[in-house]
Amino acid sequence: MRRITRIATVGVASAALALSATACGGKTSSSGSSSDGDKAAIAYDIGGRGDQSFNDAAYAGLSKAEKDLDIDGSEAEPSDGESDADKVQRLTELARAGNNPVIGVGFAYAPAIKKVAPKFPDTTFGIIDDSSVTGKNIANMVFNEEQGSYLAGVAAAKVSKTKVVGFIGGVETPLIKKFEAGYVQGVKDTDPSVNVLPQYLTQPPNFDGFSKPDLGKAAAQGQLDKKADVVYSAAGLAGSGAIEAVSKAGKWNIGVDSDQYNQEGLANYKESILTSVTKDVSDAVFNLIKSVKDGKPQTGEIRYGLDKNGVALSMSNPAFTKMTDVIAAVDKAKQDIIDGKITVKTAP
């Protein structure tokens, strides 16, 4: 697998050098040097691989495709404070290198894909968490995050002893507000007396709220000081700081995107991770790669919700699965959402 590490540079490197060891594209390494065969690439969101969350889920899908589909995979890392022009350059070079599909991990890639995709009509471009940019060769992989977050709210309300629970959003964007909306609704539908403390780490265009663990840690500590005993963090890498603070306080965390109970980098805090709101980003990435390899590339909106297990609550923590009344409430809420008896809000 080729990994492209973004490094800070002054000015814009030439396109020809974008994937070389010293250019704006950074250095590369590869599990195979052959240019033959099927190739696929993912360009990471803020925080990059190792965030124990969103980006790592995308990586898992690419890794599975390498093993199961004999794909030569490439990864491209973001840099702090990069512009849309940087993303355009990254996607362009990945497409020129023969990768198909090229997948942007996160809604921030929408402007870049809008510019690059028409220039490579024979390449499929995937984008996760965005449906605003469309085209004949664009696949929009989107999720009903609010549905999974509703279930998290049910669980939080059921386990809270202080009747105070927290929500930490990385950056106040429409996507993250879906997480908040579902969570708050799930809490209030379960127990109206429970107080929800919502907090966002940064505001656009500052996206540090997805990448700086110290911000998450400070926010979680503030919520703990206000008696929160369950904290749900939808903040990418910054969420790991929140998980650390909540764990050390002996309270419950609810993770996001990946099953964070099983994330190696969070092993010291796993017992505090009651459950996680998972998004099947891994399968979404794998399915798109497979569709291209099979000669029937996915395009248009591909939506993953509770009905397709595209979002869910993880059941890895034995302490959670032993809470039979909580699990029963979650299961009922899940079925009610699937049956249309509960409509989950997508905005607070």
Side-chain angles (χ1 to χ4, degrees):
M1 181 178 290
R2 294 158 53 87
R3 191 167 190 196
I4 305 160
T5 303
R6 298 287 297 177
I7 56 176
T9 59
V10 178
V12 179
S14 70
L17 294 177
L19 294 182
S20 72
T22 57
C24 182
K27 62 184 180 180
T28 68
S29 61
S30 177
S31 58
S33 58
S34 173
S35 60
D36 298 329
D38 297 310
K39 300 193 288 185
I42 54 177
Y44 289 121
D45 199 2
I46 298 163
R49 175 143 68 94
D51 67 349
Q52 315 296 327
S53 185
F54 185 55
N55 289 299
D56 283 0
Y59 168 72
L62 180 64
S63 181
K64 184 174 187 290
E66 284 197 304
K67 295 172 184 174
D68 294 357
L69 305 176
D70 195 25
I71 294 291
D72 182 10
S74 294
E75 310 164 70
E77 293 280 0
S79 59
D80 290 340
E82 67 181 20
S83 66
D84 284 341
D86 292 318
K87 292 182 176 67
V88 167
Q89 180 183 343
R90 182 178 307 127
L91 296 181
T92 297
E93 291 307 312
L94 289 173
R96 282 180 178 167
N99 292 290
N100 188 17
V102 174
I103 302 171
V105 183
F107 61 83
Y109 279 95
I113 285 181
K114 185 176 182 179
K115 288 185 178 181
V116 177
K119 298 177 181 178
F120 297 89
D122 295 328
T123 299
T124 296
F125 288 83
I127 182 166
I128 299 172
D129 285 346
D130 180 86
S131 59
S132 68
V133 55
T134 59
K136 293 181 178 179
N137 59 332
I138 298 175
N140 308 89
M141 296 171 279
V142 292
F143 300 81
N144 292 119
E145 296 91 355
E146 73 282 359
Q147 294 180 349
S149 296
Y150 184 99
L151 302 186
V154 173
K158 295 286 286 185
V159 303
S160 177
K161 295 179 179 177
T162 63
K163 301 293 185 180
V164 181
V165 301
F167 172 80
I168 297 175
V171 183
E172 192 168 1
T173 64
L175 173 67
I176 304 303
K177 290 182 84 67
K178 287 174 67 181
F179 288 88
E180 178 195 350
Y183 181 63
V184 172
Q185 186 180 347
V187 169
K188 293 298 184 180
D189 283 357
T190 304
D191 187 345
S193 70
V194 176
N195 185 27
V196 184
L197 307 175
Q199 182 173 351
Y200 287 87
L201 303 180
T202 60
Q203 300 288 324
N206 180 358
F207 284 84
D208 286 352
F210 288 139
S211 62
K212 296 186 180 290
D214 60 317
L215 296 179
K217 187 175 183 178
Q221 190 57 59
Q223 295 191 340
L224 291 165
D225 291 343
K226 294 177 182 178
K227 307 302 181 186
D229 60 354
V230 185
V231 178
Y232 174 32
S233 302
L237 183 61
S240 63
I243 288 173
E244 178 186 354
V246 172
S247 175
K248 288 182 176 179
K251 306 303 180 183
W252 286 119
N253 280 291
I254 295 178
V256 76
D257 291 338
S258 297
D259 181 356
Q260 294 193 301
Y261 180 87
N262 286 325
Q263 288 294 318
E264 217 173 289
L266 298 172
N268 290 339
Y269 316 117
K270 65 187 296 183
E271 299 306 326
S272 75
I273 302 174
L274 181 70
T275 182
S276 297
V277 177
T278 59
K279 291 167 58 173
D280 203 355
V281 173
S282 174
D283 268 7
V285 168
F286 177 86
N287 291 342
L288 181 60
I289 295 171
K290 186 176 187 302
S291 75
V292 173
K293 184 176 176 67
D294 291 345
K296 298 177 181 179
Q298 294 177 328
T299 58
E301 183 178 290
I302 307 158
R303 182 165 292 279
Y304 294 86
L306 282 179
D307 58 337
K308 298 178 181 177
N309 292 316
V311 294
L313 279 194
S314 63
M315 298 288 171
S316 298
N317 190 336
F320 183 51
T321 59
K322 290 177 183 177
M323 299 175 182
T324 54
D325 60 328
V326 179
I327 299 300
V330 166
D331 287 345
K332 183 180 185 304
K334 176 181 178 179
Q335 195 58 52
D336 284 348
I337 292 171
I338 292 172
D339 291 344
K341 294 178 181 178
I342 295 175
T343 301
V344 186
K345 298 175 182 178
T346 56

